[in-house]
Amino acid sequence: MSSQTIADHDHHDHKPVGIKRWLFSTNHKDIGTMYLVFALIMFFIGGSMAMVIRAELFQPGLQFVDPQFYNSMVTVHALVMIFGAVMPAGVGLANWMIPIMIGAPDMALPRMNNMSFWILPFAFALLLGTLFIDGGGPAGGWTMYPPLVLQTGKAFPYLIFAVHFLGVSSIMGAINIIATVFNMRAPGMTLMRLPLFVWTWVITAFLLIASMPVLAGAVTMLLTDKYFGTSFFNAAGGGDPVLFQHIFWFFGHPEVYILILPAFGIISQIIPTFARKPLFGYASMVYATASIAILSFFVWAHHMFTVGLPITGELFFMYATMLIAVPTGVKVFNWVATMWKGAMTFEAPMLFAIAFVILFTIGGFSGLMLGITPVDFQYHDTYFVVAHFHYVLLTGAVFALMASAYYWLPKWTGYMYDEKLAKIHFWLSAIASNVLFFPQHFLGLAGMPRRIPDYSVQFADFNMISSLGGFAYGISQLLFVYIVIKCVLGGKKATSQVWEGARGLEWTLSSPPPFHSFTKPPKVTKALMDY
């Protein structure tokens, strides 16, 4: 081998450094980190839009923004939080943890992994850019219902293309996760030994692949209605705007489970760890997750009880919605049973996990109320619905993501986060989020409509309380950023307690132990135990 060839060979062996390390990364940990950082940035951008909404609603009357801009804030806030914060954060965790948990060297398709991430910043540049276009940003709610959304001005095609890109990114991520878990598990790691976080992500990935193309179809039909003279949703041309709702919610309902199932997985890892007990009912948890996913495709029209469905249809969707509460109840029962008589300690991840179980259950119960057809006629399009889905998504999905950050930060960085500050962050978040969303149940029951920048003076007090809670919640998230940055930059080394103590049990507790009855030589077992 000539010296030149050796030099070339060495050159190829070098990992890229600096900006190249991130731009061209095919390493699952680096890509996972980029997803998580991106999600955090989007969380604050989406949160700042929520602050605009709550500032406007602080008092009756129009104070700060015109109705068109208010409408754009409501629309883009939802799209940013769903597709920019919660979903990428979940994919980031999947990238980081799934290869480690199944004993794989990396994700199955590392280059596609890189591409699925780098689509996101461009998609959100398109989406956020719409706010600076003449005629204002998109204004049809995140559901993009026609004819409302078709009245959006020049921002409309940018909105549609941004949604397409987000869908492409999600589908690529999902394919990667399925390929990794099915093809790259360590010997002896059977499917029914997978940690629950891995299981929830496999099921979520199938949901993504099945539902995302439906959304793509719906928004493409919107695009052709506006620019190519079709009449899918235009009643004047023989179309039907309700058709859009059917297509959208056939995507939209599985989408809510895409947001929450990875959170279920996170909680199923954390609670057994800090209760120091194996997860109660592992198999039932797997089957419950799968049945939630399957049932999620049969309940879409419970979002549409007020559009004039036939009574048989309304009854079917009501009963199917009731049915989906059963596997969800099984999961809550199993988490509580896991904690029962456990040797519990209450570090930050466990506090967030317990709050998740309690507050997500509140969100679940209000969801059951909305699932009862005659009752939904009263609640529909009021703030009760807003309270419901924020309990599920903020005190549900986002709390689980916060829990996961504290839980895995020592594993990711090698340093301990500041436990005292983390607990302060938890209590601020838990109190503020309830002050923010609990009053909205009462507003909704009293009849305050959603997506409206002005309201009757009778709703003033609860709105003021809600806004104060919102500002408190927003400000307290800055503490989270401080804690994470402080941990990443160094500090107390992660002690053996993290690896051998509570968190060291993580694997064996959330799934049947993969350490015995292996078919391959014991060296694999050692590698797995050292994961």
Side-chain angles (χ1 to χ4, degrees), residues 340-495:
W340 185 254
K341 293 194 174 175
M344 288 206 289
T345 53
F346 300 98
E347 287 88 349
M350 186 61 161
L351 289 173
F352 272 106
I354 293 170
F356 171 94
V357 174
I358 297 165
L359 299 172
F360 173 79
T361 304
I362 293 175
F365 279 133
S366 59
L368 271 176
M369 292 167 68
L370 291 164
I372 302 167
T373 311
V375 178
D376 183 69
F377 275 77
Q378 183 72 30
Y379 303 149
H380 186 77
D381 256 344
T382 70
Y383 257 80
F384 189 85
V385 182
V386 179
H388 153 68
F389 67 72
H390 281 94
Y391 262 87
V392 173
L393 286 177
L394 189 133
T395 59
V398 173
F399 270 30
L401 293 170
M402 297 284 178
S404 71
Y406 288 130
Y407 185 56
W408 282 317
L409 260 176
K411 187 181 240 60
W412 295 337
T413 62
Y415 299 110
M416 272 307 286
Y417 60 88
D418 187 324
E419 185 68 57
K420 188 181 275 184
L421 283 181
K423 283 181 174 165
I424 293 170
H425 170 235
F426 164 75
W427 285 110
L428 288 173
S429 297
I431 293 165
S433 55
N434 281 290
V435 174
L436 166 55
F437 293 118
F438 205 78
Q440 294 180 7
H441 291 104
F442 305 126
L443 288 169
L445 294 176
M448 179 174 161
R450 304 168 59 174
R451 304 194 182 105
I452 307 289
D454 190 10
Y455 54 85
S456 159
V457 70
Q458 63 177 339
F459 304 128
D461 293 350
F462 276 143
N463 266 302
M464 186 177 284
I465 293 167
S466 187
S467 287
L468 290 171
F471 300 138
Y473 182 82
I475 292 164
S476 54
Q477 299 324 297
L478 295 170
L479 180 58
F480 175 69
V481 178
Y482 173 74
I483 296 166
V484 170
I485 292 172
K486 185 178 164 193
C487 178
V488 170
L489 293 178
K492 210 167 73 187
K493 278 262 190 270
T495 58

Side-chain angles (χ1 to χ4, degrees), residues 122-200:
F122 294 98
F124 278 99
L126 267 182
L127 181 62
L128 297 172
T130 58
L131 296 171
F132 303 98
I133 291 174
D134 289 349
W142 84 278
T143 54
M144 300 175 279
Y145 280 0
L148 267 180
V149 77
L150 296 172
Q151 291 156 12
T152 300
K154 296 172 185 168
F156 180 77
Y158 296 93
L159 168 72
I160 301 302
F161 282 112
V163 169
H164 269 302
F165 281 130
L166 298 171
V168 170
S169 169
S170 296
I171 289 170
M172 287 164 79
I175 290 169
N176 208 349
I177 285 164
I178 291 169
T180 306
V181 176
F182 282 100
N183 297 318
M184 298 180 70
R185 301 193 304 280
M189 171 66 79
T190 59
L191 285 176
M192 288 311 278
R193 286 199 186 129
L194 288 176
L196 258 169
F197 177 73
V198 181
W199 255 121
T200 52

Side-chain angles (χ1 to χ4, degrees), residues 159-383:
L159 168 72
I160 301 302
F161 282 112
V163 169
H164 269 302
F165 281 130
L166 298 171
V168 170
S169 169
S170 296
I171 289 170
M172 287 164 79
I175 290 169
N176 208 349
I177 285 164
I178 291 169
T180 306
V181 176
F182 282 100
N183 297 318
M184 298 180 70
R185 301 193 304 280
M189 171 66 79
T190 59
L191 285 176
M192 288 311 278
R193 286 199 186 129
L194 288 176
L196 258 169
F197 177 73
V198 181
W199 255 121
T200 52
W201 249 113
V202 169
I203 292 166
T204 302
F206 279 110
L207 278 180
L208 274 166
I209 288 170
S211 67
M212 273 296 172
V214 180
L215 176 67
V219 296
T220 306
M221 289 155 86
L222 278 176
L223 198 71
T224 60
D225 266 15
K226 189 162 168 84
Y227 295 109
F228 298 98
T230 57
S231 291
F232 292 114
F233 312 126
N234 180 4
D240 185 354
V242 176
L243 172 65
F244 178 84
Q245 296 192 23
H246 278 292
I247 303 171
F248 179 86
W249 286 114
F250 190 78
F251 145 80
H253 200 78
E255 169 65 24
V256 251
Y257 290 100
I258 288 164
L259 297 170
I260 202 68
L261 287 183
F264 287 170
I266 292 162
I267 300 305
S268 302
Q269 299 292 129
I270 292 174
I271 286 179
T273 301
F274 293 97
R276 287 158 184 80
K277 265 177 70 191
L279 185 75
F280 181 90
Y282 170 86
S284 65
M285 285 295 242
V286 173
Y287 295 131
T289 311
S291 39
I292 286 171
I294 293 160
L295 286 171
S296 74
F297 283 103
F298 295 94
V299 297
W300 77 89
H302 69 206
H303 297 269
M304 301 167 54
F305 283 149
T306 59
V307 304
L309 297 173
I311 192 85
T312 324
E314 295 195 330
L315 277 172
F316 168 81
F317 285 106
M318 178 170 84
Y319 291 136
T321 305
M322 297 293 134
L323 195 60
I324 210 164
V326 177
T328 315
V330 167
K331 297 181 92 67
V332 173
F333 172 79
N334 284 10
W335 290 324
V336 174
T338 304
M339 291 188 274
W340 185 254
K341 293 194 174 175
M344 288 206 289
T345 53
F346 300 98
E347 287 88 349
M350 186 61 161
L351 289 173
F352 272 106
I354 293 170
F356 171 94
V357 174
I358 297 165
L359 299 172
F360 173 79
T361 304
I362 293 175
F365 279 133
S366 59
L368 271 176
M369 292 167 68
L370 291 164
I372 302 167
T373 311
V375 178
D376 183 69
F377 275 77
Q378 183 72 30
Y379 303 149
H380 186 77
D381 256 344
T382 70
Y383 257 80

